[in-house]
Amino acid sequence: MLNTVNVRFPNLGINISNLIKSFKIMRMEISMNAVVVTIAIIAGISIVIYEAKRTWQDVDTYINFSVCAVLSGLIGARLYYVIFNWNYYKGNLLQIFNIRNGGFTIYGGIIAAVITGIVFSGIKKISFWRIADTACIGLVLAQAVGKWGSFFNREAFGAYTNTLFAMQIKYDEVGGVINQEILDHLVRYDGMVYIQVHPIFLYESLWCMMLFVLIMVFRRFKKFDGEVLLWYIAGYSLGRVWIDIMRTDKWILPVLNLSISQLLAALITIIAVCIFAVKHIIAEKSLKN
C-alpha cells in the first residue's frame, strides 16, 4: 500500500505520512490519544514528586493525591464536555462512556482537581495552597504533553489560515468542527483533499510549556503559599483568551458574541491577577513588619 500524507505543514515543508490514530495489542484497540495522555500523566506526577522532594514534603502524600486528582480530573473533564454537548448525548447516552476519540474539556478537569485538593487537604489536615502550588507544576507539564493527543486525533484545530504554522489535515480524517471558511479553502495535494487550519493543539502545548518553564524558574521566589497556583491560573487562562479566538469548536454566547470558554478564561485571569495583587501586598507588608 502506498504511503499517504495525513498531516502537512506546507509553509514549514513538513509532511507526515501514515499518522496512526490507534493500534491493537492482543485484539485490544489502543488510541494514540490514550497513549499520549498516559505519558502526560506520568510526566506530571513525576515532576510533582520531584518538587515534593525538593521542598521536603511527604512524597507519599503527593502520590496519593495525584492518583485521586487524575481520576477525578478525567471524570470532571468528560462531564464538562458532555454537559455542554448534551443535545447530542441525550439521544446517545452510551456514547458518554466512549472516550477513545477524546471529548474532554480542561476546565472541567481543573475544577474537579481543585475540589479534590480541597477535600484531600481537609482530610489530611494540610495546607491546600501548598499542595496546589506543587501540584499545578505537574498539571501544566501534563497539559503541554497531553495536547499532542489532539494531533493524533486530528482535532483541536482552528479556523483557516495561511500563516507559517498552517496545518493541513486530510479532509476525510478530520475529527474536529469544520466551518464554511475552511470549506472555502480546501487544498488538493497528491490527489488528496485537505483542510488548512491553525494548529490549536500546538499553540496550547507551546504556551503551556512556556508557562511550565517560567514557573520552574521563578517558583523559588514565591512569597506566599498559593502564589504559584495563581501564576498558573492567570497564565493558562490568558493563553486561552487568545487561543480560543481561533477555535471552530467553541460554544458562542448569542448576546456577547463570545465563546463561553473565552469569557470564562478572561474572568478567571482578572480574578487571579486581583487575588495575586492583594496577597502580594499583604505578604510585602508582613515582611516589613
Side-chain angles (χ1 to χ4, degrees):
M1 183 176 66
L2 294 176
N3 291 341
T4 58
V5 177
N6 303 103
V7 178
R8 303 181 67 231
F9 293 87
N11 298 331
L12 294 174
I14 299 174
N15 294 336
I16 302 175
S17 302
N18 298 327
L19 182 68
I20 64 172
K21 291 185 69 174
S22 63
F23 58 93
K24 287 187 177 181
I25 297 179
M26 300 292 289
R27 296 185 179 181
M28 180 182 296
E29 186 173 1
I30 301 174
S31 71
M32 284 302 300
N33 181 54
V35 173
V36 173
V37 170
T38 300
I39 293 172
I41 291 172
I42 293 173
I45 293 176
S46 297
I47 199 67
V48 167
I49 292 174
Y50 166 80
E51 185 65 8
K53 288 181 178 178
R54 188 189 72 84
T55 53
W56 301 98
Q57 299 181 72
D58 181 48
V59 172
D60 288 340
T61 296
Y62 281 94
I63 293 175
N64 293 333
F65 171 67
S66 295
V67 172
C68 295
V70 167
L71 293 176
S72 66
L74 290 174
I75 294 172
R78 181 61 173 174
L79 185 60
Y80 190 102
Y81 183 87
V82 169
I83 289 173
F84 282 97
N85 289 275
W86 184 243
N87 286 335
Y88 168 75
Y89 286 106
K90 67 182 180 181
N92 301 273
L93 294 178
L94 292 179
Q95 287 301 309
I96 294 175
F97 306 99
N98 181 14
I99 60 175
R100 289 181 299 176
N101 294 320
F104 296 90
T105 304
I106 186 61
Y107 283 124
I110 293 174
I111 292 170
V114 168
I115 294 173
T116 300
I118 293 172
V119 174
F120 185 88
S121 60
I123 293 174
K124 293 291 186 177
K125 293 181 172 44
I126 52 181
S127 170
F128 163 76
W129 299 110
R130 192 173 190 193
I131 283 184
D133 274 355
T134 304
C136 71
I137 298 175
L139 175 59
V140 69
L141 177 60
Q143 286 178 259
V145 176
K147 288 308 297 181
W148 283 86
S150 297
F151 174 63
F152 288 97
N153 274 355
R154 284 74 149 172
E155 60 181 1
F157 53 79
Y160 165 78
T161 185
N162 194 33
T163 55
L164 178 63
F165 293 103
M167 176 178 65
Q168 295 178 354
I169 310 173
K170 282 182 65 178
Y171 180 75
D172 58 359
E173 294 181 351
V174 173
V177 178
I178 301 176
N179 60 20
Q180 189 58 48
E181 184 186 18
I182 294 174
L183 292 175
D184 291 339
H185 292 86
L186 293 177
V187 177
R188 290 190 175 274
Y189 173 79
D190 200 20
M192 302 291 180
V193 179
Y194 294 80
I195 65 170
Q196 182 167 309
V197 291
H198 282 286
I200 295 296
F201 81 91
L202 177 61
Y203 299 160
E204 191 165 340
S205 177
L206 292 175
W207 183 268
C208 288
M209 186 56 70
M210 179 189 70
L211 187 56
F212 169 72
V213 171
L214 289 174
I215 287 175
M216 290 297 287
V217 170
F218 292 104
R219 73 196 191 285
R220 301 172 187 272
F221 306 108
K222 74 171 189 176
K223 290 183 169 58
F224 57 87
D225 285 340
E227 184 172 352
V228 178
L229 174 64
L230 291 171
W231 294 346
Y232 162 73
I233 292 175
Y236 176 71
S237 298
L238 181 62
R240 286 299 296 264
V241 171
W242 71 268
I243 289 174
D244 277 9
I245 294 174
M246 296 172 280
R247 296 185 74 100
T248 59
D249 58 345
K250 52 192 176 186
W251 305 303
I252 301 294
L253 291 171
V255 178
L256 299 175
N257 198 30
L258 293 172
S259 73
I260 294 175
S261 179
Q262 193 177 9
L263 180 61
L264 181 61
L267 290 174
I268 290 174
T269 302
I270 294 170
I271 292 171
V273 170
C274 290
I275 293 174
F276 169 78
V278 171
K279 291 183 72 68
H280 195 270
I281 291 172
I282 294 173
E284 287 285 351
K285 289 182 177 179
S286 297
L287 289 175
K288 290 179 180 178
N289 295 332

